[in-house]
Amino acid sequence: APEPFFFRFTLSGRMGAPDRLFSDPGSHQWGEVWGMALYLPFVNGAEARDAVVMHEDSQAVCFWAGRMMPYGKLRSLPPFMEWFKPGRDKADQKVIAARVKIMLFFGAVSAVDSTKFRLTDDILDDLMDKQVAHAEFKRFEGGSWRRTAKLDGDFKKWNLACHEQYDQNCELSGRLPEPLVEGGTRYVQFSRLKYGSNKSSADYAVGDAAKLGVTGDGYGSFTGDKANRTLLVKVKAFIIAEATLDAAQRAKDPLQCAGCEVLVSRLPSDLYSEASNRAFAATALRSKLPRDLTALRQSELKKKPHKLEVSFVTAGGGAGSSSGSWTGKTPDEALRIEAHAPLPHVCVV
């Protein structure tokens, strides 16, 4: 998980500062405010931030003297942490900046008072009131606190580094000319997939052997009716439902998307039919490195038939009655039958 961004600053109020911000209105002192920023990356084809429900879409969870303010909120990050500037920064970086939630801790002691109950709405305007001073910005780095004159610059650097390492992007390329139609749904097919973060990604192509992790029920005979399995598969295509793409996206190659499916057949091919295909989420692809596939391939090859037991039935009936029984034939040995002899019943074990 991304390392949090720890910061703190000194907050004080001059004459005219909002009284409701302070436990002692006469002193107008909050002392140090501590903060922690959390990066919620894009993973498994979805925004992690969508799974975090905040009070009235607040960008922060606020605490007073160690207790959470149940209804206090911030509609956006404080200005000294808003590094994205339209026209200066790339448009897609706005999405990166929006993946941050913060926690703010006000008050230095764990004691209950009425302040946390007074702050029941958006406190950003009060926090950024021109009569409220912010000073001595610090961030925790390398095991110690250090002063910083530009907290927004440090925050931006951390924010972009989290994106580079943890956001999992999906890029499809090599569009195949023929669409796939399954169950009334039309899919666009691609031959290559690049999936992962900018620092650590995997590339897959049609024809690759790969390790596939299957979880959950409903895959039937394709997995041997086991809910959780690791399979050796061959990549047949990467598919995405045409209905999920707008007109511009349908013409793009390469295509950036939230996620896709991979169409596979099982390996080894002398044990499984290549005509038996199944689609899984592309995130189920685990590896295509030879060292990860060797043991899996050997395990599958153990299922290969190793002996033939043959018995003959004569016209008079009765298995093995007059022609006897041949045993111990291996798959590599030819089974020869005279032209006039009856065909054998074969049991493969």
Side-chain angles (χ1 to χ4, degrees), residues 169-176 190-197 200-213 231-239 260-264 280-290 292-293:
N169 305 305
C170 181
E171 181 182 281
L172 297 169
S173 61
R175 183 189 294 265
L176 300 178
F190 291 85
S191 63
R192 299 191 69 87
L193 166 71
K194 181 179 179 182
Y195 185 82
S197 69
S200 176
S201 63
D203 292 272
Y204 293 91
V206 167
D208 282 346
K211 180 179 178 181
L212 184 86
L231 305 179
L232 181 64
V233 299
K234 179 180 180 180
V235 174
K236 308 297 284 291
F238 301 100
I239 60 176
C260 69
E261 292 181 290
V262 57
L263 190 67
V264 300
F280 296 88
T283 53
L285 290 169
R286 298 290 182 259
S287 175
K288 67 174 185 177
L289 298 177
D292 295 329
L293 305 184

Side-chain angles (χ1 to χ4, degrees), residues 98-121:
R99 291 179 180 141
V100 175
K101 302 291 185 182
I102 66 173
M103 302 174 75
L104 290 178
F105 300 85
F106 303 104
V109 296
S110 297
V112 178
D113 59 33
S114 62
T115 304
K116 75 169 190 174
F117 297 110
R118 291 203 304 270
L119 303 177
T120 58
D121 53 7

Side-chain angles (χ1 to χ4, degrees), residues 130-183:
K130 63 182 180 180
Q131 299 300 330
V132 176
H134 315 85
E136 294 186 352
F137 289 106
K138 298 178 182 179
R139 65 163 299 191
F140 191 79
E141 187 178 38
S144 61
W145 290 96
R146 67 172 181 83
R147 290 188 180 184
T148 175
K150 296 183 178 180
L151 187 66
D152 59 341
D154 290 345
F155 180 65
K156 177 181 180 179
K157 183 179 178 181
W158 167 84
N159 202 170
L160 294 178
C162 287
H163 162 68
E164 289 288 318
Q165 186 168 354
Y166 295 102
D167 282 331
Q168 295 179 344
N169 305 305
C170 181
E171 181 182 281
L172 297 169
S173 61
R175 183 189 294 265
L176 300 178
E178 294 297 323
L180 173 71
V181 180
E182 287 285 344

Side-chain angles (χ1 to χ4, degrees), residues 4-319:
F5 179 87
F6 296 98
F7 62 96
R8 69 187 194 191
F9 57 91
T10 301
L11 185 70
S12 60
R14 294 182 285 268
M15 186 63 66
D19 279 344
R20 73 178 192 140
L21 294 183
F22 306 98
S23 56
D24 181 1
S27 68
H28 279 181
Q29 294 293 323
W30 258 3
E32 280 196 317
V33 179
W34 296 59
M36 178 171 64
L38 305 173
Y39 190 75
L40 305 177
F42 182 89
V43 291
N44 297 326
E47 293 283 0
R49 69 182 181 207
D50 291 343
V52 179
V53 180
M54 306 281 276
H55 172 60
E56 295 186 357
D57 296 324
S58 176
Q59 297 301 302
V61 178
C62 301
F63 296 81
W64 176 263
R67 269 74 174 181
M68 187 177 75
M69 302 181 193
Y71 304 108
K73 67 173 186 175
L74 267 70
R75 64 180 178 275
S76 66
L77 298 182
F80 49 79
M81 297 182 73
E82 289 278 10
W83 58 265
F84 176 79
K85 299 292 188 295
R88 182 196 70 181
D89 298 304
K90 297 179 180 179
D92 59 353
Q93 290 182 337
K94 183 176 182 180
V95 178
I96 298 169
R99 291 179 180 141
V100 175
K101 302 291 185 182
I102 66 173
M103 302 174 75
L104 290 178
F105 300 85
F106 303 104
V109 296
S110 297
V112 178
D113 59 33
S114 62
T115 304
K116 75 169 190 174
F117 297 110
R118 291 203 304 270
L119 303 177
T120 58
D121 53 7
D122 195 333
I123 64 174
L124 185 64
D125 290 334
D126 295 327
L127 185 62
M128 302 313 301
D129 188 279
K130 63 182 180 180
Q131 299 300 330
V132 176
H134 315 85
E136 294 186 352
F137 289 106
K138 298 178 182 179
R139 65 163 299 191
F140 191 79
E141 187 178 38
S144 61
W145 290 96
R146 67 172 181 83
R147 290 188 180 184
T148 175
K150 296 183 178 180
L151 187 66
D152 59 341
D154 290 345
F155 180 65
K156 177 181 180 179
K157 183 179 178 181
W158 167 84
N159 202 170
L160 294 178
C162 287
H163 162 68
E164 289 288 318
Q165 186 168 354
Y166 295 102
D167 282 331
Q168 295 179 344
N169 305 305
C170 181
E171 181 182 281
L172 297 169
S173 61
R175 183 189 294 265
L176 300 178
E178 294 297 323
L180 173 71
V181 180
E182 287 285 344
T185 302
R186 187 181 177 93
Y187 295 90
V188 182
Q189 299 191 92
F190 291 85
S191 63
R192 299 191 69 87
L193 166 71
K194 181 179 179 182
Y195 185 82
S197 69
N198 290 345
K199 284 197 172 183
S200 176
S201 63
D203 292 272
Y204 293 91
V206 167
D208 282 346
K211 180 179 178 181
L212 184 86
V214 181
T215 59
D217 299 311
Y219 297 104
S221 59
F222 194 87
T223 63
D225 294 316
K226 293 184 179 179
N228 299 287
R229 290 207 59 182
T230 300
L231 305 179
L232 181 64
V233 299
K234 179 180 180 180
V235 174
K236 308 297 284 291
F238 301 100
I239 60 176
I240 186 168
E242 193 174 77
T244 64
L245 306 174
D246 58 33
Q249 288 176 316
R250 292 176 189 178
K252 286 186 176 180
D253 186 1
L255 170 68
Q256 300 285 342
C257 57
C260 69
E261 292 181 290
V262 57
L263 190 67
V264 300
S265 61
R266 290 192 66 175
L267 291 175
S269 56
D270 52 352
L271 288 181
Y272 303 102
S273 170
E274 285 209 35
S276 179
N277 300 326
R278 189 67 190 253
F280 296 88
T283 53
L285 290 169
R286 298 290 182 259
S287 175
K288 67 174 185 177
L289 298 177
R291 67 172 182 267
D292 295 329
L293 305 184
T294 299
L296 195 54
R297 188 183 300 275
Q298 291 174 346
S299 175
E300 290 287 354
L301 287 175
K302 289 179 180 178
K303 304 173 185 176
K304 189 175 182 179
H306 63 281
K307 183 174 66 173
L308 295 180
E309 291 188 357
V310 183
S311 63
F312 294 87
V313 179
T314 64

